Amino acid sequence: MKAVCWYGIHDMRVETVPDPKIINPHDAIIEITTSAICGSDLHFYDGYIPGMEKGDIVGHEFMGNVVEVGPQVKKLKVGDRVVVPFTIACGHCFFCRRELWSLCDNSNPNAAIAEMAYGFSASGLFGYSHIYGGYAGGQAQYVRVPFADIGPLKIPDGIPDEKVLFLSDVFPTGYMAAENCNIQPGDTVAIWGCGPVGQFAIKSAYLLGAETVIAIDRIPDRLRMAEMQGNATIIDYENVDVVETLRNLTGGRGPDACIDAVGLEAHGTTIDAAYDKIKQTLRMETDRPHVLRQAIQACRKGGTISIPGVYGGLLDKVPMGAAFAKGLTFKMGQTHVHKYMRPLLDYIERGEIDPSFVITHTLTLEEAPYAYEIFKHKEDHCIKVVLKPNGK
Amino acid sequence: MVSTSPSDTTSMANTTAITDKIQQGVTGVQQYLRKVGTPNISTFERWLSLTGGSTLLIFGTAHDLLERKISPLGIITALLGGELLFRAATRHCYVYQALGINTAEEVSQAARPHYRQFAKAMTINLSQQDLYHFWNDFDVVQQPISTQATNETAKADAKIPPTREQELQAWQQLKQTVLSYGGYIDFQAAPGECGTEVRAVITYAPPPLGKLGDGLRALMGKTPEQQITEDLRHFKEIMEAGELPSTAGQPSGRS
């Protein structure tokens, strides 16, 4: 089969590789109809994720049809159409039972490595470094899915792939980020980052009852989408002082909740952003917490900082003193996708949201290297690329 | 073949004789030092005596050398330094002996057991009843599990799983590793709804090369702590998820 493989910084190649096989009794094999590139894929594209090996098949947002099931798969059948969550969960451990699916104890074959870095290992992920299990990902024609009765969500016929694909990651991610804000009536939510996760966070914040959503970015296409599709008040951070603007927009109080939908590769124009860039280039800092700093400064006293943006390592010069003095709550982590897929599918089926609005490019698998490039550099008005590994 | 002249042979023989003598001297001194007396100085004091003694010996000797005469001060200082060095070397102080003082650590070096002990625990999200087959394996589980039910009641009520080969294999692997290190396994109820804590307690004679060896073995994933942790993890994975997570044989750009 054909698959998108990582070979180094800015080096993605489409290779011919063997088809996946059933390895464990609860596995299924999916023939992928639609796949997507995630903003977090750009972190390994740029070389910031340790534990990648040349030749790793990447991709963690995918859906398709079941073509084979293992001997202990009871619910899925060959022919079922499914969306697969990007986190792999066993369904039976302490964490899965509490719906903390992305913290599964039993899905990372390299748990010992993750433990060295983080103390405990979270769940395995598709297509994202050997620290998270090294599972072959879904930017490919076929993929092997462990715990097939637990993860994949069956999709009824009649709904196009583009409407449901993002249940695999970015829609639940934006939704969980908004849910973590503990939104109360009248609340203002500020969201840094108008990529796909930010766009879904905007929509989700309104679904959850926010009065005002303010979206922050610098890319015109993304700000326009946030305004037109998301009904957000927009701030271009290259033109204004974000913290001061947020204060003014909220009557001097500050936003009630702040969502960091940017993560470790934050870009900024202020001196702390330059500091991060230099330190990171010299490998003296692993992550660039520019957005996190702004969010802490801007948030109202007693407010919440919600972090769906990926961080991997160690941060420098984060104003913990300000966070403490203002009594902020921090909520973060990889999305517990399994918890949200069914309820969010209901929103889609009722017509309350059509997630396909974020798609700007539909390309073939062979065009994946080009797709990564335009996604990374935000060229050609790129906001979200989907791939069709097995033709349209 | 290298030919040797008579003079070469003689000088070689002389050299050998000299090194032999030195070796004999060193052995003799070592044997004498061991006979001096039981240790009555702590390790810290030994180091103090070593540094203090060396300093005094050097200063005492240097003083006389520089003055180019032998002075009582120089002699006394050097002798004092020498005595401190002697007590550091032998771990025995005659003054302490006379005064009945003993600052040595409780167990002398020779008798101190060179063992290491550690425990590793995993919590399995199953009840004690579900794990009945394993905590009843008294080859390696020493304490009866603290449960209100008796063994008979537990047997009757236990959700006895079909004895799946993988579960037994994972248990046997864990058990063999624990027994090979001379340890035991402990089962305790975890608090709340967490399940059961399974704890392996190991006492073992440390392998060679000390801390440096530990570092090397840790890099290769081969320390007892790492082995036990992996065996416990595999047992937990099998019991909870029914399989070990694996990517063996999956496709990649390398295959």
Side-chain angles (χ1 to χ4, degrees):
Chain A
M1 69 165 182
K2 293 260 188 237
V4 180
C5 302
W6 181 92
Y7 279 90
I9 297 176
H10 302 163
D11 188 359
M12 310 302 298
R13 303 179 205 170
V14 181
E15 304 277 45
T16 303
V17 302
D19 287 357
K21 293 191 185 23
I22 301 285
I23 296 175
N24 269 341
H26 300 97
D27 292 351
I29 308 289
I30 312 289
E31 179 189 39
I32 296 171
T33 51
T34 311
S35 186
I37 304 176
C38 182
S40 55
D41 290 344
L42 296 179
H43 300 324
F44 61 64
Y45 184 65
D46 289 338
Y48 291 118
I49 301 294
M52 296 292 291
E53 289 176 23
K54 290 188 202 293
D56 283 347
I57 300 174
V58 299
H60 58 264
E61 298 182 69
F62 54 89
M63 64 178 291
N65 302 309
V66 178
V67 292
E68 192 182 345
V69 296
Q72 299 212 23
V73 175
K74 308 248 185 320
K75 294 186 195 160
L76 279 197
K77 312 185 302 298
V78 171
D80 282 346
R81 184 171 169 234
V82 293
V83 179
V84 181
F86 79 97
T87 51
I88 301 168
C90 75
H92 298 286
C93 65
F94 171 91
F95 298 97
C96 288
R97 288 270 165 88
R98 280 161 181 72
E99 299 212 278
L100 302 172
W101 302 93
S102 73
L103 301 177
C104 175
D105 270 335
N106 297 321
S107 61
N108 186 357
N110 299 328
I113 302 176
E115 275 179 4
M116 277 200 287
Y118 295 141
F120 296 93
S121 171
S123 75
L125 304 178
F126 284 105
Y128 212 87
S129 153
H130 290 258
I131 296 179
Y132 300 105
Y135 286 95
Q139 283 167 18
Q141 290 179 296
Y142 296 89
V143 69
R144 164 225 169 203
V145 174
F147 302 116
D149 279 340
I150 304 296
L153 176 72
K154 283 198 248 198
I155 302 294
D157 291 332
I159 309 180
D161 278 13
E162 284 72 4
K163 281 197 171 177
V164 292
L165 171 65
F166 302 128
L167 291 171
S168 57
D169 179 359
V170 284
F171 188 6
T173 299
Y175 189 87
M176 182 169 121
E179 191 182 72
N180 279 342
C181 291
N182 190 27
I183 296 170
Q184 304 300 315
D187 271 4
T188 299
V189 179
I191 301 176
W192 279 255
C194 296
V197 168
Q199 299 293 341
F200 286 115
I202 294 168
K203 290 235 180 226
S204 302
Y206 280 122
L207 283 173
L208 289 166
E211 174 109 355
T212 311
V213 177
I214 304 170
I216 301 150
D217 206 297
R218 67 178 172 119
I219 307 295
D221 296 312
R222 297 177 178 216
L223 286 169
R224 194 174 314 118
M225 185 182 275
E227 193 175 37
M228 307 306 293
Q229 292 281 350
N231 203 27
T233 306
I234 55 174
I235 294 178
D236 181 342
Y237 69 79
E238 288 201 318
N239 293 334
V240 297
D241 181 319
V242 170
V243 176
E244 204 45 44
T245 308
L246 285 172
R247 192 192 295 264
N248 288 334
L249 286 172
T250 51
R253 299 183 307 280
D256 302 280
C258 297
I259 297 179
D260 172 359
V262 175
L264 72 100
E265 286 190 79
H267 168 273
T269 56
T270 50
I271 193 145
D272 66 293
Y275 170 85
D276 287 330
K277 199 76 174 104
I278 292 167
K279 278 200 94 172
Q280 199 185 42
T281 307
L282 296 174
R283 296 292 184 259
M284 291 166 68
E285 188 180 30
T286 57
D287 300 10
R288 307 201 297 259
H290 169 69
V291 163
L292 193 57
R293 290 190 198 107
Q294 273 195 348
I296 291 172
Q297 290 302 121
C299 195
R300 71 148 167 86
K301 294 184 290 181
T304 300
I305 309 281
S306 169
I307 308 173
V310 172
Y311 288 93
L314 303 168
L315 311 186
D316 191 11
K317 304 289 182 293
V318 172
M320 205 56 193
F324 178 83
K326 297 200 293 185
L328 300 180
T329 298
F330 285 78
K331 297 208 79 169
M332 65 190 77
Q334 293 283 13
T335 318
H336 304 304
V337 182
H338 303 54
K339 177 178 172 185
Y340 298 103
M341 291 174 97
R342 184 73 252 171
L344 294 182
L345 178 61
D346 289 344
Y347 277 119
I348 296 168
E349 287 182 311
R350 288 198 300 269
E352 287 183 52
I353 183 169
D354 179 355
S356 64
F357 77 92
V358 293
I359 301 173
T360 54
H361 291 73
T362 300
L363 299 172
T364 64
L365 201 67
E366 282 72 16
E367 293 172 286
Y370 165 71
Y372 270 88
E373 208 182 303
I374 59 169
F375 188 33
K376 159 79 189 160
H377 298 288
K378 297 149 178 92
E379 290 166 358
D380 196 27
H381 311 285
C382 181
I383 298 180
K384 188 70 168 176
V385 181
V386 298
L387 303 170
K388 295 287 189 181
N390 285 298
K392 305 233 184 311
Chain B
M1 174 146 145
V2 178
S3 62
T4 53
S5 68
S7 59
D8 281 343
T9 315
T10 315
S11 66
M12 270 164 60
N14 282 346
T15 315
T16 315
I18 291 169
T19 50
D20 278 349
K21 281 249 162 11
I22 292 174
Q23 183 60 48
Q24 280 173 11
V26 169
T27 314
V29 168
Q30 282 176 332
Q31 284 174 340
Y32 170 70
L33 289 178
R34 278 196 204 107
K35 285 192 199 141
V36 159
T38 55
N40 60 0
I41 303 173
S42 71
T43 311
F44 180 62
E45 262 199 67
R46 280 183 81 194
W47 282 107
L48 278 183
S49 299
L50 176 65
T51 46
S54 328
T55 314
L56 286 176
L57 183 61
I58 291 168
F59 276 127
T61 321
H63 177 268
D64 279 0
L65 280 176
L66 287 172
E67 301 271 313
R68 287 207 182 90
K69 68 172 196 243
I70 296 177
S71 70
L73 180 65
I75 291 179
I76 291 170
T77 312
L79 283 175
L80 197 54
E83 157 62 13
L84 286 175
L85 283 176
F86 184 77
R87 85 201 276 274
T90 60
R91 272 175 286 129
H92 184 82
C93 176
Y94 288 110
V95 176
Y96 275 13
Q97 188 182 350
L99 294 173
I101 297 173
N102 186 341
T103 60
E105 288 95 353
E106 279 200 5
V107 184
S108 78
Q109 194 120 52
R112 186 182 308 139
H114 292 278
Y115 294 121
R116 290 191 196 157
Q117 191 178 63
F118 70 90
K120 288 286 177 191
M122 285 262 173
T123 300
I124 300 185
N125 193 22
L126 290 169
S127 71
Q128 295 163 38
Q129 313 284 52
D130 293 329
L131 296 172
Y132 167 79
H133 278 284
F134 307 106
W135 57 254
N136 215 23
D137 185 345
F138 290 118
D139 285 348
V140 73
V141 181
Q142 297 181 350
Q143 306 292 334
I145 194 169
S146 54
T147 170
Q148 295 188 350
T150 62
N151 273 356
E152 303 315 312
T153 321
K155 250 189 214 169
D157 295 347
K159 183 184 100 182
I160 299 181
T163 312
R164 290 180 290 187
E165 204 182 295
Q166 277 189 305
E167 289 182 0
L168 282 180
Q169 261 176 16
W171 171 252
Q172 285 302 326
Q173 173 63 44
L174 172 63
K175 176 176 155 178
Q176 289 320 312
T177 310
V178 169
L179 287 176
S180 73
Y181 284 114
Y184 64 90
I185 298 177
D186 193 275
F187 285 74
Q188 279 178 33
E193 306 270 325
C194 294
T196 306
E197 292 176 14
V198 182
R199 186 171 282 99
V201 183
I202 309 290
T203 308
Y204 71 105
L209 290 182
K211 288 246 180 299
L212 176 65
D214 285 349
L216 293 170
R217 276 180 291 270
L219 280 174
M220 295 188 297
K222 294 259 183 292
T223 65
E225 288 88 340
Q226 286 167 324
Q227 283 182 291
I228 294 286
T229 303
E230 286 317 291
D231 287 344
L232 272 170
R233 196 196 315 280
H234 290 164
F235 181 54
K236 173 187 161 81
E237 284 163 350
I238 289 287
M239 293 308 300
E240 287 183 354
E243 62 183 47
L244 298 180
S246 170
T247 55
Q250 69 170 7
S252 76
R254 297 178 290 277
S255 41

